[in-house]
Amino acid sequence: MGKPSSTSVWVTMQKKKRWPLMILLVLSVSTVGMILVRSAFDSCSLTGNRCGRFVVEKAESSDVEIRSAANPLGFMKSKLVLLVSHELSLSGGPLLLMELAFLLRGVGAEVVWTTNQKPVEADEVVNVLEHKMLDRGVKVISAKSQEAIDSALESDLVVLNTAVAGKWLDAVLKDNVPSVLPKILWWIHEMRGHYFKADLVKHLPFVAGAMIDSHATAEYWKNRTHDRLGIKMPKTYVVHLGNSKELMEVAEDSFAKKVLREQVRESLGVQSDDILFGIINSVSRGKGQDLFLRAFHESLEIIKETKKLQVPTMHAVVVGSDMSAQTKFETELRRFVQEKQLQRVVHFVNKTMKVAPYLAAIDVLVQNSQARGECFGRITIEAMAFKLPVLGTAAGGTMEIVVNRTTGLLHNAGKDGVSPLARNIVKLATSVEMRTTMGMKGYERVKEMFMEHHMSHRIASVLREVLQHAKVHSRTTK
């Protein structure tokens, strides 16, 4: 089916007098790890001033004064902060660091950004993100320049983002590493074992602190650094993430959600009464799209064999496809869909910044990350803001977000989790009341724990301690 024309949607929004919010809605950005490629909603240029969560009008100095006074991060006003990212992409780690950059800029901090690993050839995504930062007053410099060294030495705070960013210390700072370590906050998002290498994290015990997105990940790092490398973690802070005000405005606007729901479903060929399960992650084996599709197929077989079950047509959408990046795995996924003759009810959508339309369109989010699970899983709290129940693996940070049998249903990671996930799909498919109740409970949990102001308060507490640590060390070395 063809999607409605942009003109008809515009007229509808004008009639409802909500067009500014709708523009924000269609262009909202998730920090969960989606990379921009073509999608059904690419109605604006990446370089346009209205694209993405990260673009807002530049604040006047008086506005900064007002926000600084009311914001828990207000004490960062005029502080110099260097942010070091291992890469600049639309994956989770860099997007979170960018979000921190804009929170700090919002209270008048001087923020400098450097990317340790950049592609040799020109990259559109890197170019766009750098311009977004420049538009917000973030200074972007070369990772291997003298300016980067000077910024590190002069800064009040240095934030290393991800374990891989540790390479930058010896490669760039060299003899200056010891003088910078006391003011480093290391923000870690990784849960995979191959990051536990001495050349990456050997300086970890000597930094001011580590900030990690979930208790599960913090415990994992504590044990692995001790057992594998024989080193001790620095003071570690667990900071759960939070949804932005912009995303919450979208999630709480029933008219906006209705328009997007209709658009997405029509573009996919999903009827209004059909049930749509969505998995929204960059496609890779670690995110478990293969096991989800096997569970989805098994759930259809259960419903077919149980004649008493009356269920509307069920669909699954995999958002995050990129054949060029995961050719072998994606070919495997598509082959499975063809073999099981699921082409009519399983849909693939390219990686996209604009996940809000898909959250508005689906009825259930599946978070099927494997092994140790997600460090946190930003898409999970975003889905809960949209009052969606979550079917998640009982691993990692997901267990700190989803309350089993209250805001969703959990299943084991791995092949052992396929049949339990299939049964959970059937449970939610056959009970509107369960979906609605769990969705509302999830929304209430987000409002109570996972909002931007919660995250700002938690980060503010960490930054105060790190700055104090740096100040004390500065006195003792004079």
Side-chain angles (χ1 to χ4, degrees):
M1 291 186 177
K3 69 176 183 178
S5 69
S6 58
T7 302
S8 64
V9 174
W10 178 262
V11 171
T12 302
M13 291 188 289
Q14 287 282 34
K15 287 180 179 180
K16 294 290 184 176
K17 297 184 182 296
R18 293 187 179 182
W19 62 269
L21 178 58
M22 289 302 298
I23 291 176
L24 173 63
L25 175 63
V26 177
L27 303 179
S28 65
V29 179
S30 170
T31 56
V32 81
M34 296 288 115
I35 301 177
L36 175 73
V37 291
R38 300 174 191 86
S39 78
F41 297 91
D42 281 346
S43 58
C44 65
S45 164
L46 270 177
T47 56
N49 286 335
R50 302 297 295 180
C51 288
R53 172 185 296 167
F54 298 133
V55 179
V56 297
E57 298 298 326
K58 291 182 180 179
E60 298 294 335
S61 58
S62 58
D63 295 332
V64 172
E65 295 283 353
I66 294 171
R67 288 201 302 272
S68 296
N71 195 302
L73 288 164
F75 66 93
M76 293 298 295
K77 184 175 182 291
S78 300
K79 294 287 191 296
L80 174 59
V81 182
L82 173 64
L83 305 179
V84 182
S85 185
H86 74 287
E87 66 177 10
L88 184 53
S89 69
L90 290 176
S91 57
L95 286 181
L96 282 171
L97 194 63
M98 285 180 67
E99 190 164 347
L100 176 60
F102 299 146
L103 287 174
L104 293 173
R105 284 294 302 140
V107 296
E110 182 181 352
V111 182
V112 180
W113 176 289
T114 190
T115 305
N116 193 38
Q117 300 174 0
K118 293 181 68 173
V120 176
E121 298 180 358
D123 184 278
E124 182 184 8
V125 170
V126 171
N127 183 58
V128 168
L129 293 181
E130 286 187 345
H131 276 86
K132 287 186 185 300
M133 288 193 284
L134 292 169
D135 287 344
R136 293 289 294 272
V138 177
K139 186 176 183 180
V140 179
I141 63 175
S142 170
K144 297 177 175 61
S145 64
Q146 182 61 44
E147 190 174 10
I149 298 173
D150 293 341
S151 295
L153 294 173
E154 296 168 8
S155 66
D156 298 289
L157 172 70
V158 176
V159 180
L160 293 183
N161 198 42
T162 75
V164 183
K167 288 183 177 180
W168 178 81
L169 294 173
D170 288 320
V172 176
L173 293 185
K174 299 178 181 177
D175 294 340
N176 292 306
V177 169
S179 61
V180 177
L181 288 177
K183 55 184 175 183
I184 288 179
L185 174 64
W186 209 321
W187 201 357
I188 296 172
H189 314 284
E190 296 95 336
M191 282 280 274
R192 294 181 178 87
H194 61 267
Y195 292 109
F196 291 88
K197 297 179 180 178
D199 63 323
L200 294 179
V201 298
K202 66 181 180 182
H203 296 298
L204 190 54
F206 311 107
V207 302
M211 187 163 68
I212 298 181
D213 304 336
S214 67
H215 292 284
T217 309
E219 187 65 20
Y220 177 65
W221 270 83
K222 176 184 175 181
N223 294 334
R224 291 281 290 196
T225 50
H226 178 271
D227 298 342
R228 268 284 188 89
L229 303 175
I231 64 175
K232 184 178 179 181
M233 287 288 288
K235 185 168 185 179
T236 302
Y237 307 87
V238 173
V239 174
H240 287 150
L241 309 179
N243 285 328
S244 70
K245 295 174 184 176
E246 291 83 1
L247 181 121
M248 294 304 298
E249 287 178 4
V250 173
E252 293 172 341
D253 190 297
S254 58
F255 168 72
K257 287 195 295 184
K258 182 176 184 293
V259 171
L260 286 184
R261 183 179 177 88
E262 291 172 354
Q263 273 201 311
V264 171
R265 284 181 166 241
E266 185 165 355
S267 72
L268 296 176
V270 177
Q271 301 300 311
S272 60
D273 293 332
D274 294 346
I275 301 173
L276 181 58
F277 292 81
I279 184 167
I280 306 176
N281 287 109
S282 53
V283 171
S284 68
R285 200 170 299 279
K287 300 298 183 181
Q289 286 90 354
D290 54 338
L291 300 180
F292 163 59
L293 290 179
R294 292 181 186 280
F296 182 73
H297 175 256
E298 187 173 319
S299 71
L300 295 177
E301 294 298 307
I302 293 172
I303 291 171
K304 188 186 300 183
E305 294 169 3
T306 309
K307 296 180 180 180
K308 292 182 180 180
L309 293 178
Q310 299 296 319
V311 184
T313 301
M314 289 167 49
H315 292 256
V317 60
V318 178
V319 181
S321 177
D322 184 356
M323 280 293 288
S324 64
Q326 293 285 342
T327 306
K328 182 179 179 181
F329 183 62
E330 292 231 14
T331 300
E332 178 184 319
L333 297 180
R334 285 167 169 74
R335 185 182 298 119
F336 177 82
V337 170
Q338 290 176 345
E339 289 173 354
K340 302 302 180 182
Q341 299 182 346
L342 299 174
Q343 298 95 318
R344 191 177 67 84
V345 293
V346 174
H347 315 275
F348 291 90
V349 174
N350 284 346
K351 289 180 178 181
T352 174
M353 289 167 64
K354 309 176 187 71
V355 300
Y358 297 98
L359 291 174
I362 66 177
D363 299 293
V364 179
L365 177 82
V366 179
Q367 175 62 279
N368 203 40
S369 295
Q370 296 301 301
R372 300 173 190 88
E374 288 287 318
C375 179
F376 181 79
R378 187 70 170 273
I379 192 66
T380 306
I381 60 172
E382 291 179 331
M384 289 162 65
F386 277 76
K387 299 179 182 177
L388 297 175
V390 177
L391 297 179
T393 46
T398 301
M399 296 183 69
E400 296 170 29
I401 304 171
V402 177
V403 180
N404 194 28
R405 295 187 293 274
T406 299
T407 67
L409 298 170
L410 298 178
H411 57 277
N412 291 335
K415 294 179 180 178
D416 291 342
V418 171
S419 291
L421 174 56
R423 292 192 293 270
N424 289 342
I425 289 173
V426 173
K427 285 179 184 178
L428 291 186
T430 54
S431 177
V432 176
E433 182 181 358
M434 183 180 292
R435 295 199 303 271
T436 302
T437 301
M438 286 184 169
M440 182 55 69
K441 292 290 186 182
Y443 169 76
E444 292 171 356
R445 185 166 171 79
V446 161
K447 294 286 283 187
E448 181 183 350
M449 298 180 63
F450 303 120
M451 298 286 286
E452 185 180 271
H453 66 268
H454 296 132
M455 184 175 72
S456 293
H457 278 282
R458 290 189 280 257
I459 290 178
S461 177
V462 175
L463 297 191
R464 282 186 184 277
E465 288 199 26
V466 172
L467 288 176
Q468 183 61 28
H469 181 279
K471 187 176 181 180
V472 170
H473 187 274
S474 174
R475 289 172 184 166
T476 58
T477 54
K478 287 182 179 180

